[in-house]
Amino acid sequence: MIKENRVRFMQGNEAVVEAGIIAGVRFFAGYPITPASEIAELMSIRMPQVGGSYLQMEDELASMAAIVGASMGGLKSMTATSGPGFSLMQENIGFASMVEIPCVIVNVMRVGPASGMPTHPAQGDVMQARWGTHGDHPVVVLCPANVKEAFDLTIEAVNISELVRVPVILLSDATVGHIRERVELPDPASIALINRKMTTLPPEQYKPFAAGEDCVPEFADRSNGYRYHMCSNMHNEWGFPADSGHEIADKLIRRLDKKVDLFQDRVTFYNTYETEDAEFMIVAYGSVARSAKDAVKLLRKENIRAGLLQLQTIWPFPTAVVKQFCVGAKTVIVPEMNMGQLISEVRLAAGCEAVGVNRADGMAISPQEIIEKVKAVK
């Protein structure tokens, strides 16, 4: 338990565990994989202590299925993995999206493809987090840069999944997951928690996939006479298949898409540093944002007007935020520990030249590499 002294020296993966528990997670299923294994290890200890359940699964596909099932039964649920395991989870992430089951998937990214470099950081799963499962589907992806953000964004991930009924992905990386930092945690009593909406309709009037103006259907107490049908096919408001119901399919897909749009402001998080007069705007996310902030500090000492926009939410892509802070910039620099997965989105939103600083070799991007790029385009 988090003790009265809330100043902790925590690992990023440990912060995810404690935040998940405070947010109400009471079911964790997983399969250990570097660099996410500490999350499963600690959950195996912590879940029984808080009256929750931990399941060691045979693989990641089953882990994802287990947390969807637990959430269907009413429990806030979570799993954690890394690249190869994340690939195995995609089918059931799509299922969770289709039947609108709240759940949190933590992906502590390592170098890929395939088994890659298990102990080294990367950001190669950015597009997979958005489009890994097939078909049009909503998803929210949050990206912490340090241990405190891992804690805060895990709570947000659980809250958002309950609020919007979507799978939420916490896209961490090996640096954030394994680094230990001094963290001052908030009083758990001060943290606002969100629980899924429950219907007040009687069982005979309840439709499990009927939604109001916010496009989010209500759950029902399944132990009290309510009937539920969950189908991964296109389905009507009762949950029954509509395999040739084109109008029903159109209405469903548009509602799934719209509900995340309606909550875009609520799910969008970001930080800024020295952006007011920035001529060179650095747009970064995850642990790379740490190097980017140091680069801005050093560039400012040389009277080079650089600024940082750190994206904590990368999907849905915060187009308006990027446009707001990049307008007027001479050049936008996008450092990523991949070959350039988010830069196209940034370029479209910024409406100006954007250049990348890229590494996919398991090495962190240093502040000096970012500084050199800024000076090269200056």
Side-chain angles (χ1 to χ4, degrees), residues 49-277:
Q49 292 174 348
V50 297
S53 297
Y54 169 90
L55 282 183
Q56 162 74 56
M57 304 304 294
E58 67 269 31
D59 59 32
E60 291 86 350
L61 195 156
S63 301
M64 189 64 213
I67 68 165
V68 171
S71 185
M72 283 182 178
L75 293 178
K76 294 181 180 180
S77 62
M78 174 188 287
T79 187
T81 189
S82 189
F86 194 49
S87 296
L88 289 174
M89 291 181 176
Q90 294 304 321
E91 180 180 0
N92 281 323
I93 291 174
F95 176 68
S97 296
M98 186 62 150
V99 294
E100 300 175 72
I101 297 301
C103 54
V104 174
I105 303 102
V106 183
N107 178 4
V108 187
M109 291 183 286
R110 68 187 200 184
V111 181
S115 51
M117 302 169 76
T119 61
H120 294 275
Q123 295 176 318
D125 302 345
V126 168
M127 283 297 176
Q128 187 186 30
R130 178 63 191 93
W131 297 112
T133 194
H134 58 282
D136 291 299
H137 60 279
V139 70
V140 176
V141 181
L142 309 180
C143 205
N146 54 49
V147 175
K148 181 61 165 59
E149 289 184 10
F151 181 91
D152 293 340
L153 293 180
T154 298
I155 289 175
E156 292 293 351
V158 177
N159 278 345
I160 292 167
S161 72
E162 293 285 314
L163 178 67
V164 193
R165 286 189 61 166
V166 290
V168 177
I169 295 166
L170 185 78
L171 202 58
S172 182
D173 62 60
T175 298
V176 175
H178 282 167
I179 198 169
R180 287 187 179 275
E181 296 178 315
R182 180 188 184 278
V183 180
E184 186 169 348
L185 300 177
D187 180 352
S190 70
I191 298 173
L193 302 181
I194 295 175
N195 296 312
R196 59 193 65 179
K197 289 192 303 181
M198 303 299 289
T199 188
T200 57
L201 294 172
E204 62 273 17
Q205 295 179 18
Y206 176 68
K207 300 177 184 177
F209 292 98
E213 291 184 354
D214 66 358
C215 294
V216 180
E218 296 173 337
F219 278 97
D221 182 356
R222 301 183 191 192
S223 63
N224 201 21
Y226 288 89
R227 300 182 67 183
Y228 239 103
H229 192 271
M230 293 266 182
C231 177
S232 64
N233 289 20
M234 293 292 176
H235 48 264
N236 59 27
E237 292 182 339
W238 287 269
F240 289 101
D243 294 344
S244 297
H246 302 298
E247 290 185 10
I248 293 173
D250 181 73
K251 182 179 178 182
L252 173 59
I253 287 297
R254 292 183 186 281
R255 180 177 64 75
L256 293 179
D257 190 60
K258 184 179 179 181
K259 71 175 182 178
V260 173
D261 287 345
L262 290 175
F263 286 93
Q264 172 118 21
D265 289 344
R266 173 63 182 82
V267 307
T268 298
F269 305 98
Y270 61 92
N271 289 318
T272 61
Y273 181 72
E274 300 281 13
T275 56
E276 292 79 7
D277 62 344

Side-chain angles (χ1 to χ4, degrees), residues 126 285 311 314-315 317 334 336 340-346:
V126 168
Y285 55 93
L311 302 180
I314 59 172
W315 304 114
F317 187 75
V334 186
E336 300 181 85
Q341 296 198 11
L342 206 62
I343 189 171
S344 295
E345 298 286 340
V346 174

